[in-house]
Amino acid sequence: MIKKCLFPAAGYGTRFLPATKSMPKEMMPIVNKPLIEYGVDEAIEAGITGMCIVTGRGKHSLMDHFDKNYELEHQISGTNKEALLEDIRATIDAASFTYIRQKEMKGLGHAILTGRELVGDEAFAVVLADDLCLNLEDGVLSQMVALYKQFRCSIVAVEEVPEDETHKYGVISGEEMRDNLYRVDNMVEKPEQGTAPSNLAIIGRYILTPDIFDILEKTEPGKNGEIQITDALLKQAQSGCVLAYKFKGERFDCGSVEGFIQATNYCYENIYLKSDAPNQPQKTVKTG
Ligand code: UTP
């Protein structure tokens, strides 16, 4: 049903300079796995097989990551370290990867429009890999794909945030149709303190119907001089239907240092230590 997922990954990641000077933010690891791989695995879990990645200058390592490294494979073949490549091999085998370059960083809306050639004329998912979403049962994209099957319109994932943080997000308001599901009637990108229409902030997961591309083409630069996906979605909401879904699960803003550290601690305790990865720290045995 939803076969493709777009990953806008062309941003500069300035909050993580100097780390992101020559390394894409999306390649920063949470424990031992890059952010983008978590996003791709979430998409695969949702039944999506076409990964469309919008890249920019200096982002070659993204492409290399989803490709075979024959030299490395050869070196560790037959050793106990081979198991460390199992997950990424499975990810590469489960999906196809296509890339397009965003020539100028004109904002998230522009990055999504750049992906049009890869996506074509069908509904698609969008993952911002620096928002890491984890859930013990269905992943956030799986939850949203199930909703799309029912409603067949654009859906944004939202989370309640403290009022003094709404200015960092796109914020929606709307009528609650049922538990955790809203029909959007207003959307404001990074509202000034005290002017947000609610505390429901859009996070980095979307399902978009393909008419969004024509709307984006006509969308003028908005906040910060960038083409904003929220402006296009508001137009879509006014002429049709856009839903906002309060998802189940944990979300970490790994584009910020605090969120990145929280995600690292969470994944180390809840995923890494519970797995049987062969590169886990050896347990120290106390003697005498
Ligand atoms: P962010 O604003 O969070 O990412 O954009 P950034 O610009 O890379 O980070 P900072 O603020 O400078 O630290 C949200 C997402 O949209 C992508 C980014 O890569 C990120 O995944 N993006 C943003 C693009 O692909 N192109 C753009 O022109 C802008």
Side-chain angles (χ1 to χ4, degrees), residues 7-16 25-26 54 59 102 104-108 110-111 127-130 190 226 255:
F7 294 80
Y12 292 118
T14 53
R15 282 168 292 170
F16 268 96
K25 173 168 74 172
E26 298 74 17
V54 180
K59 302 261 183 176
Q102 188 185 7
E104 286 174 277
M105 306 318 152
K106 292 195 206 159
L108 177 58
H110 182 258
V127 165
L128 306 187
D130 52 356
K190 299 190 175 66
E226 296 184 334

